[in-house]
Structure formats: C-alpha cells, structure tokens
Amino acid sequence: MTEARALVVTVSNRASAGVYSDRSGPIVVEGLRESGFLVDGPLVVPDGDPVEEALRDAVAAGYDVVVTNGGTGLSPLDLTPERTRRVLDYEVPGVPEAIRAYGVAHGIPTSVLSRGIAGVAGRTFVVNLPGSPGGCKDGVAVLQGFLVHAVDQLHGGDHTPPGGSR
C-alpha cells in the first residue's frame, strides 16, 4: 500500500474542553503508523454533531481510513455510533464484533458494552473504537490484521488476503 491516509478522531466532551488530555488518540495514531498509514490527528471533538461533521469532512478530504475513539458507551451523551451511521453508505458488522470479542477473550467482559460500528462512506473505511486506552490498544490489534487489505479492496484490489489465498 502506498501512501494510504488515515485520520484519528478522539471523541471526548471533557478532552475537547481541555479538562484533561487525550490519552487514547495517540495509541490509535501509533498503531496505524505501524501499519504503514500516513496519519493525521488525533483531532479532538465533543460528541454529537461535531463527530458527524468531522467524519463528513474526512470523507470529502479523501482519507482512506477514519478511526474514532470514544463516545461508544451507554451514557446518554455517547452518540458516536448514531452520528457515524448517518455518514456511512453501508456497515461492516464483523469489525466491531471482532473488536468486542478480542476484548472479552483478553479478560475485559465490559468490551461487549461498546456500541461502536464500522463501515464504508464513499471510499473511506470508518471504525469506532472505545475511548479507553486499553480499548484502543485492543481495537488497533484487531485492525492491524485486516485494515490494509480493506483499503486495498476499496480501491479496486482483488480479494486475496495478505499472505496468500483462502
């Protein structure tokens, strides 16, 4: 993959207000860089309409991947999945399922409470990760297994996964 671009968007009402610094976004940035992406961000926004605006701007800017972190819980203020869904052309449900399963398999039963979704908007792959540093580490571990291949497919590549045929 040559020069695929990614944007990391941290969704946090408190971090966006300067109450504390973003500890999760940098974890996602580093993981995407390790996978070979040119990464911008983290862009820190409050939950709600600013998430949808950031996603629409990223799609319009031609990013290959946008990974959000935060806003996927059960709180009434956690609106990231709903705002993401408004932007997507279609969902890819296996991705958030795999992220939740990874967390559970690694001893974090509350992983199942993440309502994050994933899908495609235009030619941009969008994924919601939880806001905790541990949830971001787990999410990045899952993404590193397929994200380059997903971007390749979105750009017309064939269906042969990395490492050979299946």
Side-chain angles (χ1 to χ4, degrees):
M1 174 181 59
T2 60
E3 308 287 299
R5 295 175 47 226
L7 175 66
V8 175
V9 179
T10 294
V11 181
S12 171
N13 294 328
R14 289 176 286 185
S16 68
V19 174
Y20 57 71
S21 63
D22 172 23
R23 295 185 320 132
S24 297
I27 292 168
V28 181
V29 168
E30 181 59 30
L32 293 174
R33 284 186 179 144
E34 288 174 4
S35 293
F37 290 91
L38 297 174
V39 185
D40 290 331
L43 169 66
V44 181
V45 300
D47 210 335
D49 291 337
V51 174
E52 182 176 349
E53 182 179 329
L55 292 174
R56 290 192 186 282
D57 289 349
V59 171
Y63 281 97
D64 298 293
V65 174
V66 180
V67 179
T68 70
N69 65 92
T72 64
L74 303 180
S75 160
L77 299 177
D78 289 330
L79 303 172
T80 297
E82 290 77 17
R83 295 309 187 266
T84 300
R85 195 168 275 120
R86 292 180 181 179
V87 177
L88 298 179
D89 296 323
Y90 57 91
E91 291 187 37
V92 182
V95 173
E97 291 168 7
I99 292 167
R100 288 186 282 268
Y102 184 95
V104 170
H106 287 84
I108 311 297
T110 55
S111 297
V112 300
L113 298 178
S114 174
R115 299 181 309 108
I117 65 171
V120 176
R123 290 189 172 224
T124 303
F125 196 85
V126 180
V127 181
N128 300 151
L129 296 181
S132 69
C136 286
K137 287 178 188 173
D138 289 351
V140 164
V142 173
L143 295 178
Q144 287 176 326
F146 71 85
L147 199 54
V148 170
H149 181 61
V151 169
D152 184 54
Q153 282 190 328
L154 284 172
H155 292 279
D158 69 26
H159 293 274
T160 303
S165 62
R166 282 210 70 157

